[in-house]
Amino acid sequence: DAGVIQSPRHEVTEMGQEVTLRCKLISGHNSLFWYRQTMMRGLELLIYFNNNVPIDDSGMPEDRFSAKMPNASFSTLKIQPSEPRDSAVYFCASTTYLNTGELFFGEGSRLTVL
Amino acid sequence: DQQVKQNSPSLSVQEGRISILNCDYTNSMFDYFLWYKKYPAEGPTFLISISSIKDKNEDGRFTVFLNKSAKHLSLHIVPSQPGDSAVYFCAARSTSGTYKYIFGTGTRLKVLA
């Protein structure tokens, strides 16, 4: 039971294009986190929401990055305009109302910017 | 600044032996520590955790040790199996305000048959 569904799984785009990554939460999840995985930094926290409200976006690398959570089960991470250095795997993760302490991850969206 | 550090990018261990993965942290506000395992093309999956009020937690072949005075965490896998080959991430949960999870850079474990 992943509880977190990400799309697209793979995205290849050209520099300058807008990219939108999506995350859907199965019911029972509350906080939502966006991470980026790179070789140099491992899993880097970009932004997180609690009850749909952005709590900390200090990890967002630049103004080109934005994230929204319009309702309790859906979030988007947008990059506009995209650059080759944004190429990475982006993960969405969440906690549950049971507060077991675990973070549940989606399978990730692999972004390649040419 | 990297609040959670995994200083060994990779580790190779013979099947049947013990694997020890290490993690250091700098923030005393962390209340909960977790280990995640990641296979290629998959999301990280939860492996084992420990509360800051404990110093050891065991689950089958996996044991996590916490040394608060040294701000050090370790994961022991014994005996190691080829299926344990993966990237392991250490994570810490911050208690300042709402919960925030900080991850290390990961250690790639290879268990040799």
Side-chain angles (χ1 to χ4, degrees):
Chain A
D1 171 23
V4 180
I5 301 170
Q6 290 187 247
S7 62
R9 292 295 312 277
H10 302 274
E11 174 91 5
V12 180
T13 190
E14 292 191 345
M15 183 172 67
Q17 296 297 307
E18 177 179 295
V19 173
T20 299
L21 306 178
R22 296 173 178 80
C23 178
K24 181 178 175 181
L25 303 182
I26 303 301
S27 62
H29 290 245
N30 52 4
S31 297
L32 182 143
F33 301 76
W34 281 102
Y35 288 89
R36 176 170 68 175
Q37 184 189 6
T38 61
M39 288 295 292
M40 293 299 294
R41 293 174 174 247
L43 282 167
E44 181 185 14
L45 178 62
L46 302 177
I47 185 172
Y48 73 102
F49 298 82
N50 189 51
N51 293 326
N52 311 352
V53 177
I55 302 299
D56 184 347
D57 66 354
S58 59
M60 296 285 259
E62 297 173 31
D63 291 345
R64 298 184 295 107
F65 286 70
S66 62
K68 293 182 180 178
M69 191 167 184
N71 59 58
S73 61
F74 184 72
S75 177
T76 58
L77 177 67
K78 187 175 290 188
I79 309 172
Q80 165 64 16
S82 58
E83 296 182 3
R85 60 190 165 133
D86 302 331
S87 298
V89 182
Y90 291 80
F91 288 101
C92 177
S94 71
T95 55
T96 70
Y97 286 109
L98 294 175
N99 196 22
T100 56
E102 302 161 33
L103 258 187
F104 295 88
F105 280 83
E107 296 200 332
S109 294
R110 179 176 291 278
L111 172 65
T112 303
V113 183
L114 303 173
Chain B
D1 71 349
Q2 194 79 21
Q3 296 184 59
V4 178
K5 296 180 183 179
Q6 293 177 257
N7 292 317
S8 298
S10 63
L11 174 69
S12 290
V13 171
Q14 206 66 36
E15 182 180 6
R17 301 281 197 162
I18 185 171
S19 295
I20 300 176
L21 296 98
N22 294 302
C23 179
D24 297 297
Y25 62 95
T26 57
N27 190 339
S28 298
M29 295 300 290
F30 292 140
D31 74 329
Y32 196 66
F33 301 88
L34 309 92
W35 283 95
Y36 279 77
K37 179 178 179 178
K38 186 184 179 304
Y39 292 119
E42 294 183 10
T45 54
F46 171 74
L47 192 56
I48 191 169
S49 62
I50 187 167
S51 166
S52 61
I53 62 173
K54 297 189 174 181
D55 54 20
K56 178 182 174 181
N57 188 26
E58 193 171 349
D59 183 2
R61 296 186 298 116
F62 303 91
T63 303
V64 56
F65 294 92
L66 176 62
N67 182 334
K68 283 191 291 293
S69 60
K71 293 191 174 67
H72 180 81
L73 190 69
S74 63
L75 173 68
H76 293 210
I77 306 173
V78 57
S80 302
Q81 299 172 355
D84 296 329
S85 297
V87 177
Y88 289 79
F89 289 98
C90 165
R93 187 177 76 176
S94 171
T95 58
S96 50
T98 55
Y99 293 138
K100 178 176 175 178
Y101 293 76
I102 307 297
F103 282 77
T105 50
T107 297
R108 181 177 300 278
L109 172 67
K110 184 179 284 187
V111 179
L112 307 168

